[in-house]
């Protein structure tokens, strides 16, 4: 099979996988944020055995992958493979008074997400942590600076001091998504690996790229 035929086969497999309303609904949900199979079942009102079937079809077509939670290791999350849906129009976020990005320490992922949103989209945006660190991670400050963004090294916040009515809360951390079960429960979940666990420049750059891709995928400029 030549390269052109191989490309056609891949595209046909993707189109075939999306040719079912239930699978398309799953993809729409995952375009906005990552989710466990159980969460997909609840949110879409779909039996778990049917979710498992559709997820396998989508996974075999190369549309999504499973990742293990960094919080509860018994959980897995589904996420779209970047670029596969580049020819499709993604669903857009509902209008919110303010966007709040949340992670555990508010020292890297949530800080980078807020800075990216402010730069690419505009509008009211901030970040917070469930257990905020005293300072923003130096590697996060560095990678932001390399991409023309500024982070306040001392600007960490606790989620209880930040989140209010009307906020769109996006958890960019598995732990935050799983821990916030009260009034401040996240509206969306982005399962971005914690770069501080690896603590290399490459890990922080990968987190930045992941967040930038997600923001550009779903958001429209404010105003």
């Amino acid at each position: 099979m030549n390269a052109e035929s191989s490309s056609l086969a891949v595209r046909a497999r993707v189109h075939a996988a999306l040719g079912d309303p239930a699978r398309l609904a799953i993809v729409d949900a995952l375009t906005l944020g990552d989710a466990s199979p159980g969460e997909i079942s609840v949110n879409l009102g779909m039996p778990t055995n049917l979710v498992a079937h559709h997820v396998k079809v989508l996974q075999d077509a190369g549309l999504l992958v499973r990742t293990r939670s960094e919080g509860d290791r018994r959980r897995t999350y589904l996420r779209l493979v970047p670029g596969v849906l580049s020819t499709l129009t993604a669903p857009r976020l509902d209008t919110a008074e303010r966007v709040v990005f949340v992670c555990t320490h508010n020292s890297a992922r949530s800080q980078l997400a807020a800075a990216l949103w402010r730069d690419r989209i505009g509008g009211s945006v901030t970040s917070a942590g469930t257990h905020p660190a005293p300072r923003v991670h130096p590697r996060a400050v560095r990678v932001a600076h390399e991409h023309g963004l500024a982070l306040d090294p001392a600007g960490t916040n606790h989620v209880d001091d930040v989140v209010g009515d009307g906020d769109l809360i996006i958890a960019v951390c598995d732990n935050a998504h799983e821990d916030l079960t009260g009034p401040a429960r996240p509206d969306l979940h982005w399962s971005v690996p914690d770069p501080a666990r690896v603590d290399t420049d490459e890990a922080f750059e990968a987190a930045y790229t992941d967040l930038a891709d997600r923001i550009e995928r779903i958001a429209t400029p404010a105003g």
Side-chain angles (χ1 to χ4, degrees):
M1 181 181 292
N2 60 33
E4 182 178 356
S5 297
S6 177
S7 175
L8 286 171
V10 171
R11 289 168 58 198
R13 186 164 64 247
V14 171
H15 280 287
L18 294 174
D20 182 282
R23 290 197 285 273
L24 192 56
I26 292 172
V27 168
D28 278 351
L30 294 176
T31 299
L32 294 176
D34 307 328
S36 68
E39 289 169 335
I40 290 290
S41 176
V42 171
N43 293 340
L44 298 183
M46 194 181 299
T48 55
N49 62 330
L50 196 56
V51 170
H53 164 71
H54 290 311
V55 164
K56 184 179 187 306
V57 173
L58 293 169
Q59 193 169 3
D60 289 346
L63 280 158
L64 58 83
V65 295
R66 293 175 181 266
T67 60
R68 184 71 59 182
S69 169
E70 291 182 346
D72 184 346
R73 299 294 293 175
R74 296 169 297 179
R75 287 196 187 199
T76 60
Y77 290 113
L78 307 173
R79 64 183 296 169
L80 292 182
V81 175
V84 177
L85 296 178
S86 59
T87 60
L88 301 181
T89 301
R92 299 299 180 181
L93 288 175
D94 294 332
T95 301
E97 296 178 12
R98 183 177 62 164
V99 177
V100 181
F101 290 99
V102 180
C103 65
T104 303
H105 299 302
N106 191 214
S107 63
R109 290 165 289 181
S110 57
Q111 293 278 352
L112 290 169
L116 274 161
W117 188 280
R118 190 175 297 111
D119 179 70
R120 307 290 173 83
I121 308 303
S124 181
V125 59
T126 190
S127 67
T130 54
H131 300 86
R135 297 179 67 80
V136 178
H137 197 293
R139 292 189 192 274
V141 175
R142 185 180 305 123
V143 75
H145 177 75
E146 290 174 352
H147 289 278
L149 305 175
L151 298 183
D152 177 3
T156 60
N157 305 289
H158 194 284
V159 64
D160 290 344
D161 299 326
V162 172
V163 171
D165 294 338
D167 288 339
L168 175 70
I169 305 170
I170 302 178
V172 291
C173 161
D174 293 344
N175 282 298
H177 173 67
E178 294 161 15
D179 291 345
L180 292 173
T181 58
R185 177 154 186 79
D187 300 288
L188 294 175
H189 172 216
W190 296 353
S191 184
V192 180
D194 183 2
R197 293 195 178 199
V198 182
D199 202 14
T200 64
D201 289 342
E202 291 77 14
F204 279 81
E205 181 67 28
Y208 172 90
T209 300
D210 190 344
L211 291 164
D213 175 74
R214 291 171 182 272
I215 288 173
E216 291 173 356
R217 183 196 305 168
I218 64 172
T220 53

